[in-house]
Structure formats: structure tokens, C-alpha cells
Amino acid sequence: MAKAKRMLQENIKLVDAVAEIVDARAPEASRNPDFDALFSQKERIILLNKADLADENATRRFLDYYRRRGLLAAPMVSTGAAGKKQAVALMERAVSDKVKRLQEKGIKKTVRVMVVGIPNVGKSTFINRIAGENRTKTGDTPGVTRSKQWVKVGPYLELMDSPGLLWPKLEDQQKAQSLAFLGTVNDDILDGEELASALLQRLMTLCPEALMQRYKKLTLETAIEDLLPAVAQSRGFLLSGGELDTERAARIVLDEFRGGKIARVTLDQVPEEQA
Ligand SMILES: Nc1nc2c(ncn2[C@@H]2O[C@H](COP(=O)(O)OP(=O)(O)O)[C@@H](O)[C@H]2O)c(=O)[nH]1
Ligand SMILES: [Mg+2]
């Protein structure tokens, strides 16, 4: 992470604006809390990516929240058709003042945006989506490392071809758990059955109907320790001895949740604002 941080700090110098990609299913947990401080000198954009998997109302509430806090914010589906225009428009808006100032001085210069975010939020997918067919090298620029490439996304706008990696903050238990549910943090170190069981508990409060629809043996009366066994039962997952295969049930629950098959769910809540 030290190297990633150093690279990021080098790259910040090269851009005028920063677009932070977060996971719309957990915008706060997937934000880097240092973001505002790190990029205080830059125009800042926040894109709630994977909006196709998140609860639409929650996404709207989060967009309002970030906008109130002075960020340019938009939903994004990097794997889909929607969102590209709005994202480009937002990036153009972020740099429009600077472009205008330069033009007033008679300077014709492109302004630059860097994409940043924690692992797995869709940074590469986003860049590919935005770059699309424009993804031809815009040429080397003096003073810029040769490996760094820029993609033209508007008449005055270029996007850095490689994303900046931010590190997730895992001190907050609840946020760390949300990232584990989403598969953002390496879950080899986590106990799959414990994680899936905790996820089922969260989903029982967030979207009980959808959950019971998907796993028919679950009911509102199912005790916490019986959630995972009930999933195994719903799917007929049995071990050779006839015991319920809760390990397999855990994998299925996590996979189906991450794939958006259970429901469109947002795990985070908009933080309380001080009046
Ligand atoms: N459903 C959905 N999946 C996405 C979206 N954007 C990215 N992904 C998926 O998320 C995973 C991680 O994406 P990637 O671009 O590699 O993330 P990065 O680590 O931030 O560069 C991949 O499987 C993508 O296909 C999106 O808007 N919607
Ligand atoms: Mg990537």
C-alpha cells in the first residue's frame, strides 16, 4: 500500500480533478475517509457505481447527501449502457471553471481527471467504459512518465488511463463487515459461514420479503443460528451423512448476494448530519 500511496500522490500533481468511484451498495464503507483531505486542492466527483445492484431510493438519498457536502455526484453502471453521458458531463463540469479561466487567458490546454477508489469498486471497468473507442494514446507529454497514458473524453478533457488505488478503512467494524459482504476485502481470512450468517441477519432487516422469496424455508421466526441451515434446507444441500451442508449454503448466499440475485440492496445508511 505504501507504493500505491506514493504513486497516487505523484499522480495527483498531474490532474485537475479527481473522480472517486464507490460501490453504490455501500457508498460510505467503500469510500476512503482520507479522500477529502487528500484531494482538497482538486475538483472532486463521486460516482456511485454498480447502481444496478443498489436500492434506488438509497442511491438517491446518498446522491443528495454528497451534493449537500459540495461534491459532484452521480449514479453509474459501468457494465451497462446508462450513466456514461452523465459521468462525462460531470467531469466536464468539474473542470469547466478551469477551462474557462485558461481560455480567457488565451490558453488552449486540456484539463485532466484521475479515477480513484478502493479495490473492486469498478475503476477499470469505468475507465474502459468511458474510454471506449477513444482509447488511443494521446501521446506522451513532457514531464510525464511514459507509462502514463491519457484518454481524450471531451474537447478539453482527458482521463488518466490507470486508476489510483485507495485503501479501505477497516477500523469501523460495521463498514469492514459491509465490505466483506460485498467481497471487496479478501475473504480468505474470514470464516465463510460466519460471514454468510451475518449477511443473512442484515438482509432479514433490509429486505426480508426478497430473502424469504429466494430461500423458501426462511421465515420471520427463523432464529439467527438457524438462518444458514434454513438456506441449506431450502436448496436441499445435504452432506453424505444427511446433515445440512451449511458450508455450501454460505458460499451460495454470498455469491447470490454479490451477484445481485437476492435484491437490490444498499447496506449503508446516509450518515447523520449535524444541524
Ligand atoms: N453489476 C455491476 N458490476 C460492475 C459494475 N462495474 C464493475 N462491475 C464489476 O465489478 C468487478 C470489479 O470491477 P473492476 O473494474 O475490476 O474493479 P477495480 O478493482 O476497481 O478496477 C468486475 O467483476 C466488474 O465486472 C457495475 O456498474 N455494475
Ligand atoms: Mg482495476
Side-chain angles (χ1 to χ4, degrees):
M1 272 303 165
K3 189 170 166 241
K5 194 165 185 170
R6 220 168 29 245
M7 264 183 62
L8 187 72
Q9 271 155 352
E10 281 305 307
N11 288 342
I12 291 172
K13 296 177 193 157
L14 307 175
V15 299
D16 305 284
V18 181
E20 186 184 25
I21 311 272
V22 299
D23 191 316
R25 293 169 296 175
E28 280 297 298
S30 60
R31 278 201 92 189
N32 177 292
D34 300 334
F35 177 76
D36 290 320
L38 268 170
F39 307 113
S40 61
Q41 304 302 313
K42 309 289 173 186
E43 290 296 329
R44 272 163 294 151
I45 299 163
I46 185 164
L47 294 167
L48 277 61
N49 192 43
K50 308 197 188 186
D52 55 318
L53 302 175
D55 178 84
E56 278 176 289
N57 289 321
T59 299
R60 223 170 288 130
R61 284 195 294 275
F62 270 106
L63 290 172
D64 285 345
Y65 169 72
Y66 292 126
R67 285 170 188 152
R68 280 199 300 278
R69 306 196 45 167
L71 297 172
L72 291 164
M76 183 71 204
V77 181
S78 294
T79 46
K84 177 176 172 175
K85 262 199 185 136
Q86 204 184 354
V88 170
L90 217 60
M91 289 192 276
E92 285 183 329
R93 204 156 98 216
V95 299
S96 65
D97 278 354
K98 173 137 191 187
V99 170
K100 222 183 289 158
R101 276 203 306 280
L102 289 169
Q103 279 175 340
E104 277 161 12
K105 291 189 203 158
I107 304 167
K108 257 199 179 152
K109 178 181 168 290
T110 46
V111 283
R112 293 172 153 175
V113 178
M114 173 171 62
V115 169
V116 302
I118 69 167
N120 216 29
V121 289
K123 298 179 296 297
S124 302
T125 313
F126 174 77
I127 292 173
N128 284 330
R129 176 95 189 76
I130 295 298
E133 54 291 357
N134 301 335
R135 206 184 190 111
T136 42
K137 295 165 187 175
T138 54
D140 288 344
T141 311
V144 176
T145 321
R146 280 191 179 274
S147 64
K148 213 151 282 131
Q149 299 296 343
W150 303 88
V151 226
K152 217 172 171 61
V153 291
Y156 300 103
L157 187 65
E158 285 179 2
L159 189 67
M160 191 184 287
D161 200 351
S162 55
L165 194 61
L166 296 177
W167 40 100
K169 272 274 156 62
L170 301 173
E171 285 98 69
D172 181 317
Q173 286 284 317
Q174 173 120 346
K175 287 183 183 175
Q177 195 181 49
S178 296
L179 293 181
F181 292 157
L182 297 177
T184 305
V185 291
N186 190 350
D187 61 5
D188 298 347
I189 45 166
L190 299 160
D191 182 281
E193 289 183 57
E194 246 172 66
L195 187 66
S197 182
L199 174 61
L200 287 168
Q201 271 182 70
R202 282 279 274 283
L203 296 178
M204 261 313 206
T205 61
L206 289 169
C207 55
E209 297 300 331
L211 196 63
M212 291 186 292
Q213 185 67 30
R214 186 141 195 108
Y215 309 112
K216 304 277 192 207
K217 300 283 184 197
L218 282 176
T219 71
L220 291 173
E221 279 74 47
T222 308
I224 285 170
E225 65 274 17
D226 293 332
L227 290 170
L228 205 51
V231 169
Q233 215 176 14
S234 305
R235 292 291 166 89
F237 292 164
L238 296 174
L239 296 167
S240 52
E243 257 178 274
L244 291 168
D245 190 347
T246 47
E247 204 181 308
R248 187 169 168 207
R251 278 198 306 277
I252 288 291
V253 166
L254 290 168
D255 280 355
E256 295 191 344
F257 170 71
R258 290 168 186 170
K261 296 206 175 81
I262 296 175
R264 294 179 60 166
V265 176
T266 302
L267 299 168
D268 286 357
Q269 295 210 328
V270 173
E272 305 236 344
E273 288 168 279
Q274 259 95 53

